[in-house]
Amino acid sequence: MRGSLTVATIFGTKVRVHFTFALLLIWVGAVYFGQGGWAAAFAGIAFILALFACVVAHEFGHILTARRYGIVTRDMILLPIGGLARLEHIPRIPQQELLVALAGPAVNLAIAAILLILVGGFPETGWQSLFDPEARFLDRLALANLLIATFNMLPAFPMDGGRVLRALLAFRIDHGQATQIAASIGQGIAFAFGLLGLLGGNPLLIFIALFVYLGAGSEALMGRVQHAIEGYLAGSAAITSLERLTPDQRIAEAADMLIRTTQKELPVVDGMGRFQGLVTADGLVKGLREHGSEAMVGDIMQTDIAMIAADAPLADCLAGMQDGGKAAVAVTGQDGSLIGLVTMENLSEFMLLRSAQPNHR
Ligand SMILES: [Zn+2]
């Protein structure tokens, strides 16, 4: 994600902080400074930092549990609304998805339990202490952790509770069906939140409702896409009628190819036909501006494009494009020779054709 900075690497996963998070700290500091000077400002910022340390711990609950099932997480990002661990994929085995989803809130429950033991029990003033800057730091942190755990267990995507619900349903019914049901329940909850927010004039509740509603919708769409391409191989959806470039060609020749063909992505292969990289229309324009038309294709091609074996599941292509927001993945043979490309556009064409003949699986 743009505008974020890597601040640490924990257990091999980069922890990134978005710049808006720094704005949140400044805002909190300023509000508390207005109320009680420097001491209040520092206390306020310290609390937010402690809170987000707990959010990082929550994400690592997911990350480390997923790693037990062989799922790599390259980075997690801290946003003002919380943390986001980018798991390579979500496990499709219900038991694994259940444990990965539960691990996050479980970390916050554990932190809350330890803190409550340390301070000698639930604060007498109850939940009130959470919003009282005069209350004890550890009391507030314990309550905040309880709140994080509860909020995340709402049975609605993109919350952990949505995944828990889907996993529980998937023990009994088909994964795709489970996703649709869980998404519908999530949208129902979002609707109720929105209504409560409107009636009570609470903008925060309306914001949460919108967030949940959109999250549930995109999860349902993703579920349908995955269901549609299940059982097909990467090779069956690849564009194979392609013109190719070599790394030593000039950018001018690539520009010419872009005009001459309907391709928006130009694959680059070596003399043996092995895939080397990809030139996109955007990359070409940028390359022309920065290096001029005499520069080499090899200097401007994207080399971090996923290579998917032709006999791998088609779902791998989708994952390859989503990972880092790439325009295409390369479908290759055993020896790395380029067979074709899979793009979002031709993947949706593929789905359209399949849905027109649903029984031709
Ligand atoms: Zn979580």
Side-chain angles (χ1 to χ4, degrees), residues 178-320:
T179 302
Q180 300 308 320
I181 295 175
S184 301
I185 294 176
Q187 288 187 322
I189 290 176
F191 190 74
F193 268 44
L195 204 62
L196 279 176
L198 283 174
L199 291 177
N202 186 336
L204 185 65
L205 219 48
I206 297 172
F207 174 75
I208 292 172
L210 206 64
F211 177 68
V212 170
Y213 191 84
L214 294 177
S218 75
E219 191 74 29
L221 178 66
M222 214 51 235
R224 279 199 291 277
V225 171
Q226 269 164 359
H227 183 70
I229 63 178
E230 205 164 68
Y232 291 105
L233 301 181
S236 64
I239 309 167
T240 51
S241 177
L242 282 171
E243 295 210 25
R244 294 136 202 251
L245 291 164
T246 52
D248 55 359
Q249 278 181 286
R250 307 274 170 203
I251 297 185
E253 294 173 77
D256 179 52
M257 187 181 285
L258 192 72
I259 298 295
R260 187 157 42 78
T261 67
T262 56
Q263 286 171 236
K264 293 188 199 71
E265 295 82 18
L266 311 173
V268 184
V269 295
D270 66 7
M272 309 284 286
R274 283 176 305 220
F275 181 71
Q276 301 295 306
L278 193 71
V279 174
T280 59
D282 288 348
L284 189 58
V285 172
K286 193 159 163 270
L288 270 174
R289 194 182 301 137
E290 289 174 5
H291 305 284
S293 59
E294 288 304 298
M296 301 286 184
V297 162
D299 296 329
I300 64 158
M301 66 184 185
Q302 285 184 37
T303 51
D304 55 348
I305 300 296
M307 289 166 68
I308 312 286
D311 55 358
L314 186 50
D316 289 4
C317 293
L318 186 63

Side-chain angles (χ1 to χ4, degrees), residues 58-59 62 101 104-105 152 160:
H58 170 111
E59 294 305 323
H62 295 308
N152 274 290
D160 297 327

Side-chain angles (χ1 to χ4, degrees), residues 85-102:
R86 294 198 293 187
L87 273 61
E88 224 168 30
H89 62 267
I90 304 292
R92 289 292 295 269
I93 301 166
Q95 194 195 340
Q96 294 185 0
E97 178 171 30
L98 182 66
L99 291 178
V100 170
L102 284 174

